[in-house]
Amino acid sequence: MSANRLGLAVILFLCASHLEGHAQGFAGLGTTAEGFSVPRKGVPLEFPRDHGAHPDYRIEWWYVTANLKDASGQDYGAQWTLFRSALSPQTVQGWSDPQIWLGHAAVTTKNQHYFGERLARGGVGQAGVTLQPFRAWVDEWGMQGTGAPDADPLQNLKVKAQADLFSYDLSLSAKGPLVRQGDRGYSVKSANGQASFYYSQPYYTVEGEIVLEGKPVTVTGKAWMDREWSSQPLAADQTGWDWFSLHLASGEKLMAFRLRDSGNGYSSANWVSVNGESTSLSGDEVIIEPKQTTKVGDRTIPTVWRVRIPSKSLDVVTHPLNSRSWMGTTTPYWEGPITFEGSTSGEGYLEMTGY
Amino acid sequence: MIKTTFLAVISHWRYRPIQLITLVTGIALATALWSGVQAINSEARASYARAASVLEQANLQQLITGDQQGIPVETYASLRQAGWKVSPVIEGTVRLGGKRIRLIGVDPLTMPQSNDAPLVKDASDLAEFIRAPGVILMSAETAAQLTDVQGLRIKLSPSVPEDAAFVDISVADRLLQRKGKVSRFVIAPDQSPSLPPIGKISPDLSIRAGGNGTDVSSLTDSFHLNLTAFGFLAFVVGLFIAYSAIGVTFSQRRGTFRTLRSLGVSLKSLTAILILELTVLALIAGSIGVAIGYVIASFLLPGVAATLQGLYGASVVGTLSFRAEWWLAGLAMALLGTAVASAQSIRQLWNMPILASAQARSLATGAERSLRVQAVLGLLLLSLAVLLTWVQGGLVTAFGILAALLLGAALMLPAVLAYTLGRAERWARKPIPRWFWADTRLQLPGLSLALMALLLALSANIGVGTMVSSFRTTFIGWLDQRLAAELYVTARTEEEAERLRAWLPSRVNTVLPIWSVDGDVLGKPVQIFGVADDATYRENWPVITGGDDVWDKIASGKGALVNEQMWRREGLKVGDRIALPGNFSVDVVGVYSDFGNPVGQVLVGLGAFGQHYPNAAKLRYGLRVQTSELDRVRSALIDDFGLPADAIVDQATLKRQSRAIFDQTFAVTGALNALTLAVAAFAMFSTLLALAASRLPQLAPLWAMGVRRRKLARLEVIRSVALWAATYFVSIPVGLALAWVLLAIVNVEAFGWRLPLMIFPIDWIYLGLAALGAALVSVYYPVRLLSKVAPAELLKVFTNER
């Protein structure tokens, strides 16, 4: 997902001082990596190794979004994210570990958007990712592998989080293979060649429980996980992004994003077939246009979008479940469930940063 | 009618402006000293609260441990993973470039946000704070004193108290060598419901409630009580002035009252008018007093700040902010004081027959009766004071003793003087001396309040002066013992210290390591020092109790010396076993005096120290050097070894600094002493002035019999001086008793050390001369009035026109 994703936020948040000079808005990521590894084309992803952390890269995330329904057909969205942001490319046992972890969790309903945030430093057990058994956690929030020892660690997961007014405990089960985004997992983010390593698991089915203001709700639905790591995924003049993950009615999946910059921007998409074959679509094949905006606080945010991919005969308009899905976290952004209709219909998630 | 009455009543002030000034000054002075002291106290307390909330987030609950080593990092992970929002703190004292500061290592990622002192404002601040080499956040004052910050970037923040600094927890971990162990956790106020109990996660931890109760404020309570007592003493002395001024104005206005009452003004409305008048005066005088108090406080506060820093290590901002609470308190005290001071006069007004006018003699007769009552009451109070010294009580009892002693002595004073005057009268043969003594005795009731005020001021002066001088003498003697080494050096790093240990032995007589660790003993923080087995200690260390073999037991590693304050506070006895951090138990083998140190101290043998605390900083050393070699060794340390000059301190400098700190400490006491004495002198002046007018009936017959006005004036001067002198002599034993209470009871309660009482008669002579000077000044104006009184005025005494 989103080469762009929130990581940006994290980076900006942690590295701004490092990026002085041209740290304007979300453009901060565009600096060269100092001592950090840089994603290279042709380096194959390897599992389960790459499910774990890559501390030699500056940023990384484990990102789950779920479109859920309760027994009465009410829609819900749930988000669970663990970001890693390194101040330097190493890990150290103890308080001086330069790896900073950031957790975001949210539940969205038609009328409400609940969110929580956790910050932690590595090296002391407060947050981290282990492979055997798989576990990604910050404080009491966790994403834990529950599958058979010989299965892929991400095959079956238990995801839980809680904050002031909500909590959830979801079981995820993958019904399809892992999907490498971009060129076999090498995802280009700008015309200048900034890139990240990026793969997804878009085939999760979900069941579990959400508790909102003390009231438990049993839910089922679909979820999508993104794994991405990089050291300099954005160009200096890029200011933010609009990112879509769509579950099509046909069972196909679409990941599409638009990076905004001073010029025409940079768009990209991946079309994923029912059995997991991924086709990378170039910028001129993807047209993403804002249709309608919502005022959230003093920000004007486009919440209704038209997404077109002529080569795939796709032309849909997306609507948010809740146009005020605003994450008022340390670095704020918009993230929430959407539905779409047009040439096809379905549901998914939208993330917008830099507004 | 009411308006006319009011105008008639207050017209008095137009003819007696001096009385008005006296009354207002009395109330203003009383209020000024009281509110000045209160201002200092409230400023200091606000400082502690601010420091506590900044340094410790003391308003929040904390998780603490009994384990000296700290809390393992795994506990942090367990707590967080269980859902507890706690933030770790690693703190301690560290020496940076020759200065010890309190280092507080926090984790800005989890620290609950505080409005008082945001550590980091934004993301870039945060990254800079955490990222190596890290930031050290402190006040500009502290930064100015640091020469070395170990490569940390200094950032200034006015909200960080002096001698403290914030760093990232990883920096504190490294500088304090804690190996990751956490000192305490701050518990965020917003916790999830249904958390597992702390005890289940880590049984070693306990919750400390949030609030303003801090160590430093309980330590300094005694000091503030001291100041408050002083303020109250000054208030009482000021009240005497107001009391006598009000008494005089009432008696002089009896004629007016009589006329008004005859014209049909009811007693009720007259009283109401008088109360209104006094209230207005009290408010005016109170406002002046509060303003003066503010000025006094702002002059004294830097001294108080230095004292608190020196005695308790408490940091107080040296500037005063204007607080509504003591404005109001000051005005309330002025009103209350005026009410107390005028109650008797108003009661007399009610009880007096309408047409009775004031007669000096009739007042005096009543006074003679009350003289006896006062004497009995005074005796009772003195007995109570003696009784209380047997009661083991806290600081409040100690101040109870002081109050009973001073008040008892003051109440006894008129009786003692009356008795002395009676003896003198009998002893005198010639008529004029006989008249002189008899007349003085007659005047005594009128003067007694002023004399009591004077006694209080003089006794306080002698008492506090004796305490300070005794303390100073003892302290300097103790410094000589304690600072036996000729040079003190501090290495900058452990590596340098190691080189120093190799370099020194061939160049100096003896190297005495001064190594210490901080830890909790008997639940309180103490410093633990390792001492070498050396003649320096055997010969010089100020041991109070302990056998001859104290130093052998220390050297063996089984014994420990504790300082006096710890010994008293914990009620330790020689032979008691105490548990030190790190599974180290030692027997108390002796006690030594340790002035100016707020915390407990334990001395153990150097060998045992090194064994139990291998990681203690080994940076400081005392060096024994021949005096003649001193300069050579010092320059060799700087030039050959490469130690910076400020890392070497010689004994003389250290002693000079210590003495300067000591003198600074008691500058406040001296200032308050002088102010109290000034107030007492003013009380005397106002009383004499008030009496001067009523003296004519007594003096006119003598004048008529041929005694010249000039001689009468001389006699008046002699009378005043004689009364002053008598009071002064009484004040010496009272002052010494006061000094004894301060040294043997108050000091022990307040600071934890007892001092020997030493007598400094030369100081009394100075005080006597100052008092004499004040007497002459206060008597000058009233007597000049008397000597210049027109013969016609004296003649009027024999007419019916009065």
Side-chain angles (χ1 to χ4, degrees):
Chain A
M1 234 133 211
S2 71
N4 359 0
R5 222 112 208 208
L6 253 208
L8 254 204
V10 185
I11 287 292
L12 180 82
F13 166 61
L14 288 167
C15 304
S17 67
H18 187 71
L19 307 171
E20 288 145 5
H22 43 190
Q24 292 288 313
F26 277 78
L29 272 187
T31 46
T32 54
E34 292 162 6
F36 289 100
S37 304
V38 177
R40 282 177 209 291
K41 195 172 176 174
V43 177
L45 297 184
E46 197 179 299
F47 303 116
R49 184 199 67 191
D50 282 329
H51 296 329
H54 302 80
D56 50 332
Y57 288 81
R58 184 175 276 152
I59 50 166
E60 180 162 20
W61 48 83
W62 291 254
Y63 213 120
V64 176
T65 50
N67 294 90
L68 304 167
K69 267 186 177 29
D70 67 11
S72 66
Q74 291 274 30
D75 285 313
Y76 299 87
Q79 177 201 345
W80 191 101
T81 316
L82 182 65
F83 299 101
R84 181 189 59 78
S85 177
L87 296 171
S88 67
Q90 54 176 329
T91 51
V92 178
Q93 268 308 304
W95 296 107
S96 51
D97 187 37
Q99 303 287 331
I100 306 299
W101 300 83
L102 184 68
H104 283 180
V107 170
T108 314
T109 69
K110 206 166 155 44
N111 301 313
Q112 294 289 334
H113 180 78
Y114 305 94
F115 65 89
E117 180 178 34
R118 296 298 173 87
L119 284 93
R121 71 175 75 204
V124 291
Q126 189 191 350
V129 175
T130 58
L131 263 186
Q132 298 293 344
F134 177 79
R135 182 173 170 236
W137 81 98
V138 54
D139 294 344
E140 79 274 33
W141 299 3
M143 178 161 76
Q144 197 153 1
T146 54
D150 54 337
D152 184 86
L154 298 189
Q155 183 73 32
N156 290 290
L157 295 173
K158 225 169 163 45
V159 179
K160 56 179 189 146
Q162 64 174 52
D164 289 345
L165 295 169
F166 75 95
S167 67
Y168 57 72
D169 192 340
L170 306 173
S171 297
L172 277 56
S173 179
K175 305 296 183 202
L178 295 165
V179 174
R180 288 160 174 80
Q181 305 279 11
D183 182 0
R184 286 161 295 160
Y186 179 80
S187 171
V188 178
K189 301 301 184 202
S190 84
N192 298 335
Q194 268 90 354
S196 66
F197 284 123
Y198 183 11
Y199 69 90
S200 306
Q201 171 49 273
Y203 296 110
Y204 284 119
T205 58
V206 184
E207 53 190 35
E209 188 181 73
I210 295 176
V211 181
L212 293 177
E213 302 187 21
K215 286 188 232 56
V217 188
T218 304
V219 290
T220 55
K222 298 191 183 86
W224 179 310
M225 178 197 278
D226 268 352
R227 282 279 295 117
E228 188 159 10
W229 61 99
S230 175
S231 291
Q232 32 90 269
L234 285 200
D237 65 340
Q238 291 175 330
T239 56
W241 62 83
D242 310 301
W243 170 93
F244 297 83
S245 64
L246 305 180
H247 301 278
L248 274 54
S250 60
E252 291 163 304
K253 312 285 178 185
L254 175 67
M255 184 284 294
F257 62 82
R258 181 183 81 146
L259 285 157
R260 303 189 301 277
D261 58 26
S262 45
N264 296 326
Y266 181 87
S267 299
S268 178
N270 256 63
W271 191 274
V272 185
S273 72
V274 179
N275 53 17
E277 286 158 24
S278 169
T279 313
S280 184
L281 304 171
S282 65
D284 46 6
E285 293 177 86
V286 189
I287 305 147
I288 300 172
E289 301 164 293
K291 286 308 223 193
Q292 203 176 305
T293 59
T294 302
K295 205 114 164 93
V296 179
D298 51 2
R299 293 174 161 94
T300 304
I301 294 164
T303 45
V304 176
W305 292 80
R306 185 174 178 196
V307 179
R308 280 181 292 160
I309 300 176
S311 62
K312 294 284 181 185
S313 310
L314 181 94
D315 184 351
V316 295
V317 175
T318 73
H319 290 273
L321 172 64
N322 180 343
S323 60
R324 298 173 182 280
S325 301
W326 186 251
M327 297 291 285
T329 39
T330 315
T331 299
Y333 57 104
W334 194 103
E335 170 115 26
I338 52 172
T339 54
F340 55 90
E341 53 222 3
S343 63
T344 177
S345 67
E347 58 194 353
Y349 248 78
L350 166 62
E351 176 184 285
M352 296 177 285
T353 66
Y355 286 101
Chain B
M1 181 66 189
I2 298 230
K3 190 181 162 197
T4 319
T5 314
F6 187 67
L7 289 177
V9 166
I10 63 165
S11 68
H12 173 74
W13 303 117
R14 215 173 340 135
Y15 303 109
R16 309 277 181 196
I18 303 259
Q19 267 180 31
L20 180 65
I21 293 171
T22 309
L23 178 58
V24 170
T25 312
I27 301 173
L29 280 180
T31 315
L33 286 182
W34 169 260
S35 60
V37 165
Q38 290 310 310
I40 290 173
N41 280 347
S42 62
E43 192 63 43
R45 293 223 170 88
S47 262
Y48 308 148
R50 209 160 42 228
S53 85
V54 172
L55 293 180
E56 292 167 6
Q57 300 218 311
N59 48 332
L60 297 180
Q61 289 190 328
Q62 315 263 330
L63 272 183
I64 52 173
T65 177
D67 187 347
Q68 306 307 327
Q69 307 296 312
I71 308 164
V73 70
E74 293 75 23
T75 306
Y76 176 61
S78 311
L79 284 166
R80 293 293 311 199
Q81 290 184 31
W84 276 95
K85 287 182 199 150
V86 293
S87 186
V89 176
I90 292 181
E91 64 187 339
T93 311
V94 71
R95 184 168 282 276
L96 286 178
K99 184 173 168 58
R100 279 168 78 88
I101 63 166
R102 180 167 173 195
L103 200 65
I104 300 140
V106 297
D107 175 27
L109 295 168
T110 50
M111 199 67 181
Q113 285 302 309
S114 141
N115 294 329
D116 302 351
L119 270 184
V120 289
K121 287 193 300 292
D122 51 33
S124 86
D125 262 12
L126 178 70
E128 194 189 3
F129 194 80
I130 296 180
R131 182 195 302 277
V135 167
I136 184 164
L137 198 68
M138 58 185 140
S139 70
E141 291 81 9
T142 310
Q145 296 170 44
L146 289 188
T147 48
D148 171 29
V149 288
Q150 309 256 327
L152 299 167
R153 279 190 298 267
I154 294 181
K155 275 191 117 174
L156 300 181
S157 163
S159 59
V160 180
E162 252 186 85
D163 298 332
F166 282 103
V167 290
D168 185 59
I169 189 167
S170 60
V171 175
D173 184 19
R174 176 163 53 82
L175 293 181
L176 299 168
Q177 302 172 341
R178 292 292 166 83
K179 301 196 169 70
K181 298 259 184 160
V182 176
S183 310
R184 59 183 163 89
F185 292 115
V186 177
I187 305 179
D190 57 323
Q191 295 292 337
S192 323
S194 71
L195 289 171
I198 295 275
K200 257 192 165 166
I201 300 163
S202 176
D204 295 340
L205 298 181
S206 54
I207 295 181
R208 185 171 75 194
N212 293 321
T214 57
D215 295 350
V216 71
S217 72
S218 67
L219 265 177
T220 51
D221 265 355
S222 51
F223 180 82
H224 293 299
L225 195 53
N226 243 319
L227 273 186
T228 307
F230 240 117
F232 196 71
L233 180 66
F235 184 74
V236 169
V237 171
L239 277 197
F240 282 137
I241 304 177
Y243 175 83
S244 62
I246 291 170
V248 170
T249 67
F250 269 59
S251 71
Q252 287 186 352
R253 284 192 285 184
R254 285 247 165 74
T256 315
F257 299 161
R258 189 176 52 191
T259 313
L260 287 169
R261 295 279 281 120
S262 312
L263 288 172
V265 177
S266 74
L267 191 55
K268 244 188 216 164
S269 31
L270 182 62
T271 313
I273 281 165
L274 285 169
I275 288 176
L276 176 71
E277 175 205 63
L278 287 171
T279 308
V280 171
L281 283 175
L283 287 176
I284 294 170
S287 308
I288 298 172
V290 174
I292 298 174
Y294 182 80
V295 175
I296 292 176
S298 52
F299 274 111
L300 294 185
L301 192 61
V304 172
T307 305
L308 289 166
Q309 177 73 44
L311 280 180
Y312 304 103
S315 165
V316 172
V317 181
T319 51
L320 198 65
S321 49
F322 216 81
R323 286 169 199 282
E325 71 236 37
W326 58 263
W327 242 112
L328 293 176
L331 287 182
M333 282 307 269
L335 284 172
L336 183 77
T338 312
V340 169
S342 60
Q344 200 194 353
S345 297
I346 287 182
R347 214 191 57 208
Q348 272 179 4
L349 180 69
W350 274 74
N351 296 339
M352 195 81 65
I354 293 185
L355 295 177
S357 73
Q359 292 296 336
R361 187 59 206 152
S362 73
L363 279 176
T365 328
E368 253 164 45
R369 212 178 325 114
S370 63
L371 204 67
R372 268 194 301 277
V373 178
Q374 276 181 25
V376 172
L377 207 61
L379 207 59
L380 282 176
L381 278 171
L382 288 183
S383 317
L384 178 69
V386 173
L387 209 68
L388 279 176
T389 54
W390 264 287
V391 182
Q392 289 286 323
L395 202 57
V396 178
T397 315
F399 278 101
I401 296 171
L402 282 186
L405 172 69
L406 284 177
L407 208 60
L411 285 172
M412 295 268 300
L413 178 71
V416 170
L417 291 179
Y419 176 77
T420 317
L421 291 170
R423 300 290 298 203
E425 191 183 335
R426 234 170 297 157
W427 169 75
R429 289 275 170 259
K430 291 186 178 168
I432 287 196
R434 277 187 72 93
W435 167 82
F436 175 79
W437 293 120
D439 187 56
T440 305
R441 201 143 64 97
L442 182 71
Q443 280 208 60
L444 198 55
L447 275 171
S448 65
L449 268 177
L451 292 174
M452 280 153 83
L454 179 67
L455 178 72
L456 288 186
L458 288 174
S459 311
N461 217 304
I462 291 174
V464 174
T466 305
M467 177 196 77
V468 173
S469 302
S470 297
F471 194 176
R472 195 168 194 278
T473 310
T474 312
F475 180 73
I476 287 169
W478 169 82
L479 270 185
D480 288 340
Q481 295 176 312
R482 186 74 181 257
L483 300 177
E486 283 76 14
L487 278 181
Y488 293 85
V489 295
T490 308
R492 284 165 294 183
T493 61
E494 289 295 339
E495 181 273 331
E496 189 174 70
E498 204 178 325
R499 282 200 296 128
L500 203 56
R501 285 197 292 276
W503 188 87
L504 281 170
S506 59
R507 292 169 173 86
V508 300
N509 294 355
T510 315
V511 180
L512 303 170
I514 305 173
W515 298 341
S516 71
V517 291
D518 295 337
D520 278 19
V521 173
L522 302 167
K524 299 220 176 62
V526 300
Q527 301 164 316
I528 300 158
F529 279 84
V531 286
D533 184 12
D534 189 82
T536 307
Y537 295 109
R538 290 174 184 266
E539 286 160 15
N540 294 299
W541 201 255
V543 174
I544 305 171
T545 48
D548 297 336
D549 54 352
V550 163
W551 294 103
D552 294 330
K553 286 180 181 160
I554 297 281
S556 76
K558 295 196 176 65
L561 276 167
V562 298
N563 67 356
E564 187 185 358
Q565 31 291 49
M566 181 171 168
W567 173 58
R568 289 189 193 278
R569 207 181 295 148
E570 306 300 340
L572 291 172
K573 287 187 292 295
V574 170
D576 281 356
R577 177 155 282 242
I578 51 173
L580 305 182
N583 281 331
F584 182 21
S585 285
V586 282
D587 293 329
V588 175
V589 295
V591 179
Y592 60 96
S593 49
D594 183 23
F595 300 121
N597 180 4
V599 298
Q601 225 175 51
V602 179
L603 249 56
V604 296
L606 192 65
F609 181 89
Q611 218 176 318
H612 287 91
Y613 311 109
N615 296 321
K618 298 183 176 62
L619 302 178
R620 297 181 62 206
Y621 299 88
L623 310 179
R624 298 306 307 265
V625 185
Q626 301 287 337
T627 318
S628 53
E629 294 283 278
L630 209 56
D631 288 336
R632 203 186 49 76
V633 172
R634 178 204 282 274
S635 41
L637 272 167
I638 297 171
D639 300 334
D640 302 347
F641 184 80
L643 215 55
D646 63 2
I648 309 164
V649 185
D650 62 39
Q651 194 193 74
T653 310
L654 214 51
K655 282 184 184 167
R656 198 167 54 239
Q657 285 169 352
S658 303
R659 273 199 292 270
I661 291 172
F662 183 92
D663 290 340
Q664 169 81 290
T665 299
F666 287 100
V668 180
T669 315
L672 281 175
N673 240 334
L675 284 171
T676 318
L677 199 61
V679 172
F682 189 78
M684 193 71 188
F685 166 76
S686 64
T687 311
L688 287 174
L689 196 63
L691 285 177
S694 60
R695 294 285 297 137
L696 288 186
Q698 272 85 44
L699 298 178
L702 271 87
W703 172 76
M705 284 187 270
V707 183
R708 305 176 68 127
R709 280 178 299 171
R710 182 188 277 275
K711 180 163 187 189
L712 284 175
R714 202 161 57 231
L715 285 173
E716 288 296 308
V717 173
I718 292 170
R719 184 197 329 278
S720 299
V721 170
L723 286 173
W724 270 87
T727 309
Y728 167 68
F729 284 116
V730 174
S731 75
I732 291 177
V734 176
L736 286 181
L738 179 66
W740 182 83
V741 175
L742 286 172
L743 289 169
I745 301 174
V746 176
N747 262 318
V748 175
E749 293 292 343
F751 306 108
W753 56 70
R754 185 174 178 152
L755 300 162
L757 176 68
M758 285 175 235
I759 291 176
F760 300 86
I762 208 94
D763 289 350
W764 306 346
I765 292 173
Y766 287 135
L767 179 68
L769 289 176
L772 183 68
L776 290 174
V777 169
S778 67
V779 82
Y780 173 76
Y781 181 71
V783 166
R784 215 172 82 97
L785 283 184
L786 207 60
S787 69
K788 294 218 169 137
V789 66
E793 288 293 314
L794 287 164
L795 275 174
K796 273 189 198 163
V797 171
F798 303 103
T799 72
N800 269 335
E801 283 176 32
R802 283 183 70 240

